[in-house]
Amino acid sequence: MKETKTASGTPEARAAMHEMMAAFEAFKGANDARLDEIEKKASADALLEEKVARIDQAVSSAQARLDRVVSEGRRPGLSGEASSSGRGASLLHPSTASRSPSPFHGEEKSAFDGYLKTGQSFGLELKAGLSTASNSAGYVVPEQTERAIERRLMAGSPMREIASVRTVGAGVFRKPVSTAGLASGWVAETAARPETDPATLALLEFPSADLYASPAATQSLLDDALIDLDEWLASEVEDAFAAQETTAFVTGDGVNKPKGFLSYDIVAESAHEWGKIGYVASGAAGAFAPSSPTDRLIDLVYAPKARYRPNGRFVMNRKTVSAVRKFKDSDGAYIWQPAQRPGETASLLGYAVTEIETMPDVGADAAAIAFGDFQRGYLIVDRAGVRVLRDPYSAKPYVLFYTTKRVGGGVQNFDAIKVMKFAAT
């Protein structure tokens, strides 16, 4: 029987795990010494502060390395298998790479390969845009290539890992949601059943917008029989698409892009209503509370209703993670804990932590920390179909491949996501 190794079992993953655990133990020792000195002298030695900051950086680097190794292991090729040797090997043509032959054959695949290599478009479906402001012209990629791009985005985009993703056939996805549930009541067996109030419904719209990238290749690369051009195209657009998507899912204004969950009105949790995101104050303007900052994080955890907490997680950038990593609970235990095994994520107060670099830094009135069930709270909408337009003229001697994908997104449940606003009240 052929043995299949996952990313969590590779030597590189185990080495990254050990490096991160060792760095965190060193961090705890140095930070404990800093806290003891502050308690005794009301301030810490500058050299000790520098040491803690340096070790904290090492913890962040080790965590980033571990995340990268796990992400690379999850990233599939066109065959759908995880790559255990990194991205380079997956660019080899399926017939020459050391994996099962690609199951994707036939006229459509051959026609698309021919278009990428030579520009001949016989046998491909042309999608012409109705205007320059809506759809862009181009040839629809085979379903296998589209699925490869989607799977790679799922592995490379932190928001796609935690949110709901839905593929639709229309330009705008409309979803009816109940903002107030059906009324109910108790009655005797033979008593009359009075009519109850119907549910209050709202219609949410998630329009999709064009996301594009133009990877370049030389004609020599295109002529290389050992290169799987489908996989090359998917890997080239992955990073560009993932970066743009992640920014839009967090802070996008909804104009020709998805609407980020921080772009909705943010109000105090006590005044929360449907269509707005509730916040919990940090207790200090532009900073964590000077005393018991952990208490405010606990308040944030309990801001969503109980049904949203089992799948809840924290979302913040690495600078904010670096700050909360120093916090302890009332028993003196660190509230941030590293992943216990490869494939898992670090945790804060027992809940998973997702690092998204486009989250705001801690600052005045910044919503720098979010918590909630993002799978129930945020919806990503993919319009079916990826288009590619070959351009051998604009950047000679390179050949550009104008690749377009339509994506939308927005909050679908305003009760499931809460944020911490760095303000006194």
Side-chain angles (χ1 to χ4, degrees):
M1 179 180 295
K2 182 180 178 181
E3 180 184 2
T4 302
K5 294 185 178 180
T6 63
S8 61
T10 63
E12 186 178 4
R14 290 194 295 270
M17 187 79 215
H18 293 156
E19 177 188 351
M20 193 265 295
M21 295 295 289
F24 184 60
E25 288 300 320
F27 169 80
K28 288 194 295 184
N31 192 56
D32 286 345
R34 181 184 71 91
L35 294 175
D36 289 342
E37 191 165 305
I38 291 176
E39 186 175 349
K40 294 176 181 178
K41 303 179 181 179
S43 64
D45 181 74
L47 293 177
L48 187 55
E49 291 279 10
E50 183 181 345
K51 179 180 179 181
V52 171
R54 187 171 62 253
I55 298 177
D56 179 66
Q57 232 176 15
V59 175
S60 298
S61 298
Q63 183 68 51
R65 179 191 172 195
L66 180 61
D67 292 341
R68 176 186 59 79
V69 171
V70 173
S71 178
E72 292 288 351
R74 288 198 307 263
R75 183 176 286 114
L78 282 174
S79 65
E81 297 179 0
S83 172
S84 61
S85 56
R87 297 174 63 176
S90 65
L91 297 182
L92 294 177
H93 195 277
S95 61
T96 59
S98 57
R99 54 186 169 99
S100 301
S102 172
F104 306 129
H105 299 284
E107 295 181 0
E108 185 181 25
K109 176 69 165 63
S110 298
F112 188 66
D113 285 347
Y115 175 67
L116 294 180
K117 289 179 179 293
T118 66
Q120 295 180 355
S121 57
F122 178 76
L124 294 179
E125 178 185 2
L126 174 66
K127 288 290 185 181
L130 299 179
S131 71
T132 57
S134 57
N135 294 320
S136 301
Y139 292 95
V140 178
V141 305
E143 182 180 358
Q144 310 91 287
T145 308
E146 180 182 355
R147 294 291 175 264
I149 293 174
E150 290 177 355
R151 290 195 300 269
R152 281 180 167 270
L153 285 177
M154 187 68 72
S157 170
M159 275 298 291
R160 283 184 176 270
E161 290 186 354
I162 64 177
S164 295
V165 181
R166 181 161 186 163
T167 302
V168 299
V172 178
F173 176 64
R174 295 176 174 86
K175 180 180 179 179
V177 296
S178 175
T179 59
L182 290 169
S184 60
W186 296 98
V187 294
E189 181 180 359
T190 59
R193 269 64 171 174
E195 182 177 352
T196 59
D197 294 332
T200 303
L201 296 177
L203 186 65
L204 300 180
E205 293 190 349
F206 301 89
S208 56
D210 281 358
L211 176 63
Y212 70 92
S214 296
T218 63
Q219 191 59 49
S220 297
L221 173 67
L222 300 178
D223 293 338
D224 191 341
L226 298 181
I227 298 297
D228 186 339
L229 294 179
D230 284 348
E231 183 67 14
W232 169 81
L233 181 65
S235 64
E236 286 293 304
V237 302
E238 172 196 358
D239 291 339
F241 280 3
Q244 289 291 335
E245 281 188 347
T246 302
T247 300
F249 296 151
V250 175
T251 59
D253 59 10
V255 179
N256 297 324
K257 62 175 70 70
K259 188 166 184 177
F261 63 88
L262 293 184
S263 293
Y264 293 85
D265 291 338
I266 298 177
V267 299
E269 180 59 21
S270 59
H272 173 256
E273 60 184 19
W274 186 264
K276 300 179 180 180
I277 301 293
Y279 78 80
V280 172
S282 67
F288 287 98
S291 62
S292 302
T294 301
D295 291 349
R296 298 305 179 104
L297 290 170
I298 294 175
D299 291 340
L300 178 60
V301 168
Y302 284 92
K305 295 178 180 178
R307 63 177 175 270
Y308 302 116
R309 287 199 296 273
N311 197 36
R313 65 175 55 242
F314 286 95
V315 172
M316 62 190 83
N317 67 24
R318 59 186 173 88
K319 291 183 180 179
T320 309
V321 171
S322 177
V324 301
R325 188 179 286 136
K326 301 179 178 70
F327 296 165
K328 294 183 177 183
D329 61 19
S330 57
D331 296 325
Y334 284 89
I335 64 173
W336 183 92
Q337 291 294 321
Q340 299 303 306
R341 59 182 61 88
E344 295 182 353
T345 61
S347 64
L348 180 63
L349 293 171
Y351 292 92
V353 178
T354 297
E355 292 187 26
I356 298 182
E357 288 307 309
T358 53
M359 286 290 290
D361 292 336
V362 172
D365 294 328
I369 301 177
F371 177 84
D373 186 342
F374 281 80
Q375 189 170 18
R376 298 173 71 173
Y378 196 88
L379 177 65
I380 298 172
V381 176
D382 287 327
R383 171 76 182 273
V386 176
R387 298 182 300 277
V388 174
L389 185 63
R390 190 179 191 273
D391 178 9
Y393 307 108
S394 299
K396 294 182 293 185
Y398 299 100
V399 180
L400 303 179
F401 294 93
Y402 178 67
T403 307
T404 310
K405 185 179 187 298
R406 305 207 74 196
V407 182
V411 174
Q412 62 177 342
N413 188 330
F414 293 90
D415 294 329
I417 300 175
K418 307 296 178 181
V419 299
M420 175 172 283
K421 183 178 179 180
F422 282 80
T425 58

